[in-house]
Amino acid sequence: MLGLMQQWPLLCHKIVDHAARQHGHREIVTRSIEGPIMRTTYGELRERSLKVAQLLTRDGFKRGDRIGTLAWNTGRHLESWYGIMGMGGVYHTLNPRLFPEQIAWIMNHAEDQCLFVDLTFMPIVEAIAPAIQSLKKVIVFTDGAHMPETGLSNVVAYEDWLAGADGDFSWVELDENEACGMCYTSGTTGDPKGVVYSHRSNVLHAMIAALPDAMGVSSRDVILPVVPMFHANAWGLAQTAPLIGAKMVMPGAKMDGASIYELLDTEKVSFTAAVPTVWLMLLQYLEETGKKLPYLNKVVIGGSACPRAMTEKFEKNYGVEVVHAWGMTEMSPLGTLGSIKPEYVELTGDRLFDIKEKQGHSPFGVEMKITDDENIELPWDGKTFGRLKVRGPAVASGYYGGAGADQFDSEDWFDTGDVAHIDPNGYMQITDRAKDVIKSGGEWISTIDLENLAVGHPDVAEAAVIGIAHPKWDERPLLVIVRKQGKEPSREEILQFMEGKIAKWWMPDDVVFVEEIPHTATGKIQKTTLREQFRGYALPSA
Ligand code: ADP
């Protein structure tokens, strides 16, 4: 027997329709690339994205076409997404921090037909456009007055282009399973792989993200997505904020401590999210200036492990709740969030921060398990660690073009490539990337645990641990350290600091000091490059 309920396809443009109707005057505030603060509303977002959809259709772009965006978080970028999705197109976010050749490779792979671009990235587009055979048009997010001289053909200023439409357009009727967005993983090993979101997965993800124990946001919040729209969908905030009707504050190109602080303060931001490096800059700025964060309630930190010291600083010094989160581009991206369950609500001090250091528990819509290398499921005892596998309605079922098929099994479990343990209350903690974990004498050593410990030393700015080949143990840990400016801790001081805080056989075999640790385009430590750099390194114990 079938239910007698309406078919109401989960389509992304329904989010913007809802936002315009229920929260039409709520603002979207942008630090524009041209400089001044610009303000629109959800009502205008809908009107302007209808114009985008109308014009893309008039320009000959079709349902299913991939339309690239190479842009910061701004109101215009948001309009382009909803316009692209509303005409049946597929927004394809490009990470400008990649090398231009990589961007060109990705655009060719996705066969992008059209590109929306910020002024900042015009030089990149001018360099790569001739190599992208599918590219028919470039739309620059600016007005005629700020339009630069360019040798590109078929290029137009966004505001001039938009002025040619009246917005008399109806969203295209689509199946909820049709593609609406695309984002490539950064491909630290091998070629980047395309993740393809559907309308349904984006809508469900936006609803899941809003849940009280996930991001826990409402129409009363003011949301500042510092995490870029080109980094795993701005963690879903580009859909979640309009879905719940929260005011949005878009940081544009400026992510330094002073600029972020100014927006937090003047716009009375209550909720924000980004990777740890952004928060390092903000905390440093606050310490230097003695400023406080009176309006901010909650910050979601993820993308890489959130250092315990950062959580403690936000909570103790500024009264801001930190929610540690883990996710992946392949998961739209939310996987787990560290809100506090009743089992832990009485905890205080160090014991509470022990829990907050974990990556958290999964909301409805994310199933997870840990297995050994033979795919045997491991217990949730908070100690045993294994390969982390996930499935759910906003988890990828494959990559574009069939790449990476071995990461998906016949029961839809996606192998995340992360290694983790899960405690009896469902809190997951990442201990490593499978390819980074150190295998010493048949046992695994977590490089993340060692790194977290080392950065707890007051003179250490950044730490990375890699496995070095060892004749007896296969691999042993080498600790690579960037010292804080003006500090000179010795190898012995660092080792002494770590001793007793971890199992003896986990202690690094050596410590080296470097000026800089290499990072990926999304700000993560690039272990492949580091391993290359220390290939053949002779450990004193070897
Ligand atoms: P990119 O590599 O392009 O940044 P993702 O954002 O999808 O792509 O990266 C996902 C990976 O980032 C995860 O598989 C995990 O290894 C790492 N990661 C994300 N959040 C955390 C976290 N809170 N702690 C530790 N690692 C994390």
Side-chain angles (χ1 to χ4, degrees):
M1 180 172 162
L2 290 177
L4 284 171
M5 288 292 142
Q6 299 184 0
Q7 291 297 324
W8 192 84
L10 303 176
L11 297 171
C12 289
H13 32 272
K14 294 204 165 153
I15 294 177
V16 81
D17 284 348
H18 173 77
R21 171 139 306 188
Q22 281 290 341
H23 309 275
H25 298 297
R26 201 93 57 234
E27 280 183 313
I28 303 165
V29 182
T30 298
R31 184 191 295 285
S32 68
I33 310 307
E34 295 88 343
I37 298 290
M38 284 167 52
R39 290 169 194 277
T40 55
T41 62
Y42 281 132
E44 288 164 307
L45 169 66
R46 181 171 182 277
E47 279 167 27
R48 287 164 64 88
S49 41
L50 275 167
K51 289 185 182 177
V52 170
Q54 181 182 28
L55 288 164
L56 285 173
T57 308
R58 191 185 293 169
D59 287 347
F61 299 107
K62 298 198 176 56
R63 192 163 166 174
D65 279 355
R66 273 77 67 202
I67 312 280
T69 66
L70 188 61
W72 301 109
N73 290 5
T74 67
R76 287 174 178 149
H77 193 178
L78 201 62
E79 293 157 16
S80 76
W81 274 25
Y82 282 100
I84 294 166
M85 294 191 285
M87 56 75 67
V90 180
Y91 69 80
H92 174 199
T93 53
L94 297 155
N95 184 344
R97 295 180 187 137
L98 294 172
F99 292 117
E101 310 82 71
Q102 285 175 303
I103 299 175
W105 187 94
I106 289 173
M107 289 185 75
N108 274 322
H109 193 258
E111 295 174 277
D112 290 342
Q113 303 285 316
C114 174
L115 178 68
F116 288 89
V117 60
D118 264 334
L119 285 169
T120 329
F121 308 123
M122 282 301 276
I124 301 180
V125 179
E126 281 161 351
I128 64 175
I132 300 152
Q133 296 84 12
S134 52
L135 189 62
K136 300 195 182 87
K137 188 179 183 101
V138 176
I139 301 161
V140 187
F141 280 135
T142 192
D143 52 22
H146 293 89
M147 188 66 181
E149 289 276 330
T150 172
L152 287 172
S153 54
N154 209 359
V155 52
V156 62
Y158 178 73
E159 295 295 343
D160 290 354
W161 181 67
L162 223 54
D166 57 12
D168 183 12
F169 184 84
S170 303
W171 302 126
V172 175
E173 283 185 27
L174 301 162
D175 183 315
E176 63 177 16
N177 290 302
E178 280 182 53
C180 72
M182 207 169 177
C183 188
Y184 277 68
T185 62
S186 32
T188 35
T189 53
D191 288 331
K193 297 192 277 285
V195 177
V196 185
Y197 306 110
S198 66
H199 282 267
R200 175 186 154 84
S201 71
N202 266 1
V203 172
L204 287 173
H205 183 269
M207 291 166 65
I208 292 166
L211 289 173
D213 271 320
M215 293 207 174
V217 279
S218 78
S219 60
R220 294 171 298 286
D221 276 299
V222 178
I223 298 182
L224 171 69
V226 183
V227 53
M229 290 163 73
F230 58 75
H231 186 196
N233 260 329
W235 299 353
L237 289 170
Q239 284 99 18
T240 303
L243 182 131
I244 55 168
K247 170 177 165 180
M248 291 182 91
V249 181
M250 302 294 245
K254 293 205 172 141
M255 251 91 75
D256 60 283
S259 305
I260 293 298
Y261 174 80
E262 188 192 285
L263 291 179
L264 290 172
D265 192 55
T266 54
E267 299 302 326
K268 299 189 168 56
V269 171
S270 63
F271 176 97
T272 182
V275 295
T277 36
V278 166
W279 304 124
L280 271 182
M281 294 190 285
L282 177 71
L283 288 171
Q284 201 174 348
Y285 174 79
L286 294 174
E287 274 161 31
E288 281 163 15
T289 57
K291 290 182 168 154
K292 296 286 174 200
L293 298 170
Y295 308 110
L296 191 62
N297 294 326
K298 195 189 282 184
V299 52
V300 172
I301 305 181
S304 57
C306 172
R308 184 186 182 112
M310 180 171 282
T311 306
E312 291 196 26
K313 244 181 222 167
F314 266 118
E315 300 214 340
K316 289 183 183 162
N317 301 359
Y318 301 101
V320 175
E321 181 191 353
V322 170
V323 174
H324 190 185
W326 164 84
M328 299 181 78
T329 304
E330 290 88 333
M331 302 180 72
S332 300
L334 294 183
T336 59
L337 297 108
S339 68
I340 298 299
K341 288 192 190 180
E343 288 80 355
Y344 292 139
V345 88
E346 306 287 331
L347 294 182
T348 54
D350 271 355
R351 296 200 48 217
L352 176 64
F353 290 112
D354 288 344
I355 301 303
K356 293 205 151 227
E357 202 170 345
K358 296 174 188 256
Q359 275 73 8
H361 51 99
S362 53
F364 173 77
V366 179
E367 287 181 61
M368 58 178 180
K369 68 173 180 183
I370 41 173
T371 75
D372 64 12
D373 281 341
E374 270 70 57
N375 200 24
I376 307 293
E377 203 168 334
L378 297 170
W380 289 20
D381 60 9
K383 296 193 294 274
T384 312
F385 51 93
R387 289 177 162 275
L388 179 61
K389 297 179 181 172
V390 294
R391 61 184 185 189
V395 176
S397 61
Y399 292 108
Y400 182 60
D406 55 342
Q407 273 176 269
F408 304 87
D409 74 13
S410 58
E411 291 173 325
D412 256 355
W413 287 104
F414 166 65
D415 189 335
T416 62
D418 286 322
V419 176
H421 52 68
I422 306 176
D423 80 9
N425 290 314
Y427 283 68
M428 184 276 285
Q429 185 156 17
I430 300 274
T431 58
D432 236 317
R433 294 290 296 166
K435 56 184 187 305
D436 295 338
V437 72
I438 296 172
K439 294 187 174 147
S440 170
E443 304 260 16
W444 289 5
I445 299 176
S446 156
T447 63
I448 293 187
D449 280 4
L450 296 182
E451 287 157 6
N452 281 345
L453 183 55
V455 292
H457 189 286
D459 297 343
V460 171
E462 198 176 16
V465 173
I466 50 170
I468 297 287
H470 189 282
K472 180 160 175 213
W473 302 109
D474 291 334
E475 277 186 326
R476 290 294 304 158
L478 170 70
L479 173 59
V480 183
I481 280 183
V482 180
R483 289 182 269 222
K484 277 198 184 150
Q485 222 167 8
K487 303 287 179 185
E488 291 285 328
S490 67
R491 173 186 186 278
E492 284 64 38
E493 276 171 328
I494 302 285
L495 290 174
Q496 236 163 43
F497 172 79
M498 297 177 78
E499 222 164 76
K501 300 190 176 95
I502 40 166
K504 224 178 162 131
W505 64 278
W506 278 38
M507 283 293 287
D509 279 29
D510 206 1
V511 183
V512 289
F513 298 95
V514 295
E515 288 300 312
E516 210 185 337
I517 286 174
H519 289 98
T520 68
T522 45
K524 294 169 200 185
I525 296 174
Q526 202 156 29
K527 297 243 171 132
T528 39
T529 313
L530 208 56
R531 279 193 288 264
E532 203 52 49
Q533 209 172 314
F534 287 95
R535 183 195 289 273
Y537 184 82
L539 290 169
S541 59

